[in-house]
Amino acid sequence: MDYKNLQYKINTGCDRGLCSKACGRQDKQLNTYDWLADVPGNTELTDLVEVQFKNTRKGYYHNVNNLELKKGDIVAVEASPGHDIGVVTLTGSLVKLQLKKINLKSPDDIKRIYRIARKADMDKYYESKAREHSTMIRSRQIAKDLGLEMKIGDVEYQGDGNKAIFYYIADERVDFRQLIKDLAAAFHVRIEMKQIGARQEAGRIGGTGPCGRELCCATWMKNFVSVSTNVARFQDISLNPQKLAGMCAKLKCCLNYEVDNYIEAGKALPSRDIILQTKDQDYYFLKSDVLAGVISYSSDKNMAANVETISINRANEIIEMNKRGEKPLSLTDNNSEKQADHPIDLLASESITRFDKAKKKKKKKKSNRPQNRNQQAAGQPEQQEQNQRNGQNNRYDKTGNARKRDTKE
């Protein structure tokens, strides 16, 4: 038997798609948690494969050659013209859900996977990638010479080097027909111009947000929804542009995450224009805590004075009483409502330094005990000899002193 021709393969967690190549922490942007990676037969349900290219550009392809692909494999895919080089980021049935998420209109846009990238493909790929930075710098100078109001933020060469994609940002419509001619003459490749927004540019560059985590646009967000200042007003957030703006200098996308909860909870709040009337005075709306369900009212319309905080139910109850012509004695009905609105601190009457009291030192009792055992052992025979001479029965107490007792002769 020829053992040299045998090929052994040890399956590890990475081969089954359970480590950084599947659903763990990854080095690729917009990765999807593949929670079906270890399900047997998952990749056989569909031949669709998700392939990622530079930064956040992704594509979906058919595995027509039935290649054994797993997350992290570098493949050569069909492009127009030639081929492109990308990394497999998702396989199996989750790819269908991703297609619905990006709203792919035509199935004809799904091309094919040719093969797993060979050494010649990778050499050509690295050669093309090495030209991207110098191409971006020179293209910016060409656009500046033409007087175009645009910013070229990134350049991406195709894997075979036959095409270059220029990503640009512009506030207005730009006529770049002459720019394409100049770029094609300068770099001798096929030119494709793609306009992106400020949020997409931040996602391509990546970074860390003020929350300490990676940017959402660089990790999982694919579709961007417009964010307005009304979202901040619903959540009672200060309209400070420096705090509301993200890395892209636009309003933070995370402002939209909780606004639905605030809108739903705000429906139970009474109108801010309603004045609560009591027998003592009138109260005006001051502020509200939507999620806690409490409202603060002030006796002065323009400033905080005699502020009273009550629950939403109590406010609605007073409004109904005012409609009937009735006025309560005060906003707070009784002490029970105050206790319900404000939690009781059981340790309010306790001192903070109650455990810091110094311990009292115990006084030591004086005794006639010898200082050490040697003195005690040396003193006992002498005392016994003296007692024997006196003809008395002697006993020693706990302190080592002789106790004399009278005996009958």
Side-chain angles (χ1 to χ4, degrees):
M1 185 175 182
D2 190 4
Y3 292 97
K4 295 182 179 179
N5 296 330
L6 291 178
Q7 294 182 356
Y8 296 95
K9 181 180 179 181
I10 300 176
N11 292 325
T12 61
C14 295
D15 297 330
R16 298 175 59 243
L18 296 179
C19 68
S20 61
K21 291 184 179 180
C23 55
R25 186 67 180 167
Q26 323 230 356
D27 59 346
K28 300 294 180 183
Q29 293 176 323
L30 301 185
N31 275 303
T32 303
Y33 186 94
D34 194 358
W35 49 277
L36 297 177
D38 58 343
V39 176
N42 179 42
T43 57
E44 299 176 0
L45 297 177
T46 178
D47 64 342
L48 292 173
V49 178
E50 183 185 72
V51 180
Q52 184 164 350
F53 304 95
K54 183 179 180 181
N55 295 332
T56 57
R57 185 170 74 92
K58 284 189 176 184
Y60 298 89
Y61 300 88
H62 287 293
N63 185 10
V64 293
N65 297 323
N66 296 325
L67 301 173
E68 293 184 2
L69 300 177
K70 61 180 181 296
K71 217 165 190 178
D73 290 339
I74 303 176
V75 294
V77 300
E78 180 184 1
S80 179
H83 69 274
D84 204 351
I85 303 296
V87 180
V88 176
T89 54
L90 190 63
T91 59
S93 57
L94 289 185
V95 183
K96 295 181 179 180
L97 300 178
Q98 292 296 101
L99 288 175
K100 293 180 180 180
K101 189 175 181 179
I102 65 173
N103 193 16
L104 189 64
K105 297 181 180 180
S106 176
D108 298 334
D109 297 337
I110 304 177
K111 297 181 173 59
R112 299 172 297 169
I113 295 179
Y114 288 146
R115 59 186 178 274
I116 295 178
R118 298 178 294 208
K119 185 179 183 302
D121 298 330
M122 297 305 299
D123 293 341
K124 187 67 175 178
Y125 171 78
Y126 291 129
E127 180 183 351
S128 302
K129 292 299 177 182
R131 301 162 52 190
E132 291 180 350
H133 183 70
S134 59
T135 301
M136 181 182 65
I137 300 301
R138 188 176 176 186
S139 63
R140 287 180 177 179
Q141 186 62 40
I142 295 174
K144 184 178 179 181
D145 296 338
L146 295 176
L148 299 177
E149 295 294 332
M150 60 182 296
K151 173 192 173 184
I152 298 178
D154 193 12
V155 177
E156 180 181 0
Y157 270 92
Q158 196 170 269
D160 56 0
N162 293 330
K163 186 176 74 172
I165 303 175
F166 291 81
Y167 296 93
Y168 71 94
I169 299 175
D171 296 333
E172 299 178 355
R173 182 180 177 86
V174 179
D175 185 6
F176 46 76
R177 288 177 293 182
Q178 184 61 37
L179 176 63
I180 292 178
K181 294 179 182 179
D182 295 345
L183 294 177
F187 305 114
H188 305 286
V189 292
R190 184 175 179 179
I191 306 298
E192 180 180 348
M193 304 296 297
K194 183 173 291 187
Q195 185 176 3
I196 59 176
R199 290 187 173 90
Q200 292 174 325
E201 183 188 25
R204 291 184 63 84
I205 297 174
T208 304
C211 59
R213 299 174 63 91
E214 291 186 57
L215 299 178
C216 297
C217 54
T219 52
W220 61 273
M221 285 188 67
K222 294 182 175 64
N223 301 323
F224 299 96
V225 182
S226 61
V227 185
S228 62
T229 55
N230 291 331
V231 175
R233 292 191 180 96
F234 280 125
Q235 303 177 60
D236 292 332
I237 301 176
S238 176
L239 299 179
N240 188 350
Q242 295 180 352
K243 294 183 178 181
L244 295 181
M247 302 295 291
C248 57
K250 303 291 184 180
L251 293 177
K252 295 177 183 177
C253 296
C254 56
L255 293 175
N256 284 336
Y257 295 169
E258 299 180 355
V259 65
D260 294 336
N261 293 334
Y262 278 88
I263 293 176
E264 187 67 24
K267 293 179 179 179
L269 293 176
S271 177
R272 300 188 177 188
D273 300 331
I274 298 178
I275 302 174
L276 301 187
Q277 299 177 352
T278 62
K279 293 183 177 181
D280 296 337
Q281 54 190 345
D282 297 341
Y283 286 89
Y284 303 88
F285 178 86
L286 180 63
K287 63 179 181 179
S288 63
D289 191 339
V290 180
L291 300 182
V294 294
I295 310 174
S296 297
Y297 286 90
S298 172
S299 60
D300 195 318
K301 188 175 182 180
N302 300 322
M303 60 180 296
N306 300 326
V307 179
E308 295 285 349
T309 302
I310 59 176
S311 63
I312 296 177
N313 295 332
R314 177 58 179 170
N316 293 328
E317 181 182 350
I318 296 176
I319 292 173
E320 294 297 329
M321 293 176 64
N322 294 154
K323 289 181 180 179
R324 297 193 301 266
E326 301 176 1
K327 294 182 181 180
L329 294 176
S330 62
L331 292 184
T332 55
D333 187 12
N334 47 34
N335 296 329
S336 61
E337 184 176 353
K338 292 184 179 180
Q339 294 177 358
D341 293 341
H342 303 285
I344 301 174
D345 188 2
L346 299 177
L347 301 178
S349 59
E350 295 290 340
S351 175
I352 299 178
T353 60
R354 62 186 183 277
F355 298 114
D356 300 339
K357 295 180 181 179
K359 295 182 178 180
K360 296 181 180 180
K361 295 183 179 180
K362 296 182 179 179
K363 295 182 180 180
K364 295 183 179 180
K365 297 181 179 179
K366 295 181 180 181
S367 62
N368 298 325
R369 181 181 297 177
Q371 295 181 357
N372 50 42
R373 295 181 179 178
N374 295 332
Q375 295 177 359
Q376 182 179 358
Q380 286 180 359
E382 296 177 358
Q383 188 71 22
Q384 289 177 358
E385 292 178 358
Q386 185 178 0
N387 294 335
Q388 289 177 0
R389 286 193 299 267
N390 295 333
Q392 297 178 349
N393 291 334
N394 301 325
R395 292 185 181 180
Y396 294 88
D397 58 6
K398 295 181 180 180
T399 60
N401 298 325
R403 182 180 299 168
K404 298 181 179 181
R405 294 184 179 177
D406 297 335
T407 57
K408 295 180 180 181
E409 293 180 357

